[in-house]
Amino acid sequence: MEGHRPRLALLALTQLIVALDYNIVYVALPGIGSALGFGPSSVQWVVSAYSVGLGGLLLFGGRAVDRLGARRMFMTGLALYGAASLAGGLASGAGTLVAARAVQGAGGALLTPATLALIYRGFAEGPARNKALGAWGMAGSAGLAAGSLLGGVLTHYLGWEWVFFVNVPLALGCALAAPRLLPADPARAPGSFDVPGAVLATAGSALLVFGLASGPDAGWASPRGAGSLAAGAVLFAVLLAVEARTRDPLIPLRLARGRGLATTMVVIAVFQGTLGGGYYILTSYLQPVLGYSSLEAGLTFLPLTLVCMLAALKATPVLLGRWGIRTTLAVSTIGTGAGIAAMVAGTTAGGGFWTLLPGSVVWGLFGGVAFVTLFASAGAGVPPEQQGVASGLASSAKEIGGALGLAAFVAIANGPGDLLHGLHAAGWAAAAATVAGGLIAFVLEPARPEVRDGESTSLEGALR
């Protein structure tokens, strides 16, 4: 572990950048909407456009990592991410910003599976990988914490543009460090690249996410809403038929059908959907309902993400070693639902930071453990040459679930009645869905004894 610290630090910093951008945008949404002419429902496209680009290309990105090399895709993703962040900060209209966010998502679709594959391949399954994933998850939580606070500070003092500009030097620095710290890519794996599968997966994923994001704005029965969802579903059906007959498929169906990865994909979709919905609910409560400034809203997010950061780094490796993946994931996901429920109970008309604090602490504690455990589960028992596509599948489920959750909770929150009533309805629904996701985690294989560092193990025996 000692010799891998500089490499892990780079991978963790990259995760911090991605998480920073995810959370920093939420606090800036009211300012972006006012400056660029977004409507109350259409402003979600600042978030959703990123999800369309990311979710649409993750399966392609995962396979590209396996075929073309993790380091190469890592650097390419950083370049796209940084360039799109610069374009977003310079945007003078809503369309330009939405397009920049989509390109930023495309960069993330290469960066995310590359980062995870480098962790999966660089650290043996078991305690070493759990510690590495804990550090990676801690960095993501730190990014969320920094995003909450930094988004408020930058928007308040410099303007919303700086929530994008801040990514540029970070992405550039990581790209320059990558050739020195990351191992060279091995010789390209033999076999052809599944072009038909890549086209179908990209188009199908993008249409599904686009349809989910369009529903609250254009209407669920509209061509943009229902039409995109139907077209995406048809393309995925065609994709399954094509992949079953392809010699070297983009998505190895045996891998996707495995109980461990398939269950993980369901749970991560639920978890990310309620995470995005929870952040939307909290932001809408703090700013439109209570009238908090962007800085005050950012400070209110801070306890949640600081606790999440500590839980990811300190608690997760210990719990995984003691309970295994199944129990840790189920308990932490159910606990996350309890935390969301406690937070919703604190969103009263006369509430604020102190009424939200108990729920924030519980949500952060269990959510930090659950997030890391989900990705430990996604990589468990997967051969090294398929780690890229496994992380791509898990991350695709994460993005599609996030888009579905955000669309659903925006629709509930903006339904008939006053805003606070709608936020409560959306919050209770998010809490219930998260608990259901924790119950689904019990479908995973039960825990087996964990092998300690320095002992031999097998991939088959390590799945917990």
Side-chain angles (χ1 to χ4, degrees):
M1 190 80 174
E2 290 288 336
H4 292 304
R5 281 188 175 178
R7 182 188 308 172
L8 181 59
L10 174 62
L11 299 176
L13 178 58
T14 304
Q15 173 63 8
L16 184 146
I17 295 170
V18 174
L20 176 78
D21 187 69
Y22 178 85
N23 207 24
I24 203 171
V25 169
Y26 275 96
V27 178
L29 282 180
I32 292 172
S34 299
L36 299 184
F38 285 98
S41 296
S42 63
V43 74
Q44 71 156 325
W45 277 101
V46 178
V47 177
S48 298
Y50 179 85
S51 297
V52 170
L54 181 61
L57 287 166
L58 269 168
L59 293 176
F60 170 83
R63 200 55 169 166
V65 166
D66 291 334
R67 288 290 180 216
L68 304 178
R71 189 175 79 171
R72 187 176 291 111
M73 293 301 101
F74 181 87
M75 295 175 66
T76 303
L78 280 169
L80 283 173
Y81 210 87
S85 295
L86 179 61
L90 295 173
S92 58
T96 305
L97 180 57
V98 168
R101 289 286 286 166
V103 175
Q104 198 175 41
L110 300 178
L111 192 58
T112 299
T115 301
L116 285 167
L118 287 163
I119 291 176
Y120 292 148
R121 295 171 188 174
F123 298 90
E125 191 167 356
R129 185 182 295 176
N130 292 341
K131 290 176 183 177
L133 284 170
W136 173 82
M138 181 274 294
S141 300
L144 292 176
S148 302
L149 182 58
L150 193 59
V153 171
L154 292 175
T155 303
H156 185 78
Y157 290 107
L158 297 176
W160 63 265
E161 297 90 345
W162 283 90
V163 305
F164 299 105
F165 288 149
V166 71
N167 287 323
V168 178
L170 294 173
L172 178 62
C174 288
L176 293 175
R180 292 187 295 106
L181 297 180
L182 299 180
D185 293 324
R188 296 185 184 183
S192 60
F193 199 93
D194 180 13
V195 175
V199 172
L200 288 168
T202 299
S205 299
L207 282 168
L208 281 179
V209 178
F210 181 77
L212 290 169
S214 296
D217 185 24
W220 291 106
S222 68
R224 272 175 55 191
S228 297
L229 289 172
V234 169
L235 288 179
F236 263 108
V238 175
L239 172 65
L240 293 176
V242 169
E243 297 299 271
R245 293 168 173 78
T246 300
R247 179 176 299 178
D248 192 16
L250 178 79
I251 307 170
L253 295 184
R254 193 168 113 184
L255 176 66
R257 284 196 297 257
R259 185 166 78 174
L261 183 56
T263 302
T264 301
M265 289 169 64
V266 173
V267 180
I268 200 171
V270 173
F271 182 87
Q272 186 66 20
T274 56
L275 175 69
Y279 271 97
Y280 175 84
I281 293 161
L282 192 52
T283 301
S284 299
Y285 170 69
L286 292 171
Q287 292 179 277
V289 174
L290 297 185
Y292 276 26
S293 69
S294 55
L295 179 58
E296 290 171 325
L299 288 170
T300 305
F301 274 96
L302 202 54
L304 165 65
T305 44
L306 286 176
V307 172
C308 186
M309 178 176 64
L310 291 173
L313 181 65
K314 298 295 185 181
T316 308
V318 174
L319 292 176
L320 284 172
R322 182 172 299 172
W323 291 347
I325 285 177
R326 184 178 74 164
T327 302
T328 303
L329 183 56
V331 171
S332 59
T333 307
I334 292 170
T336 302
I340 294 174
M343 184 204 71
V344 174
T347 56
T348 61
F353 178 88
W354 295 109
T355 61
L356 295 171
L357 186 60
S360 296
V361 171
V362 175
W363 184 6
L365 175 63
F366 287 101
V369 174
F371 183 78
V372 176
T373 305
L374 280 163
F375 283 97
S377 180
V382 178
E385 68 274 9
Q386 293 182 345
Q387 290 287 0
V389 73
S391 62
L393 285 165
S395 299
S396 294
K398 171 176 169 284
E399 294 309 315
I400 291 173
L404 175 59
L406 182 61
F409 298 128
V410 167
I412 295 171
N414 292 312
D418 65 276
L419 178 58
L420 186 58
H421 177 78
L423 292 175
H424 285 163
W428 293 121
T434 308
V435 171
L439 296 175
I440 293 170
F442 282 113
V443 175
L444 290 167
E445 293 282 353
R448 299 179 184 181
E450 184 169 273
V451 179
R452 300 294 169 189
D453 288 330
E455 298 179 9
S456 61
T457 185
S458 68
L459 289 173
E460 180 181 355
L463 179 60
R464 289 174 295 281

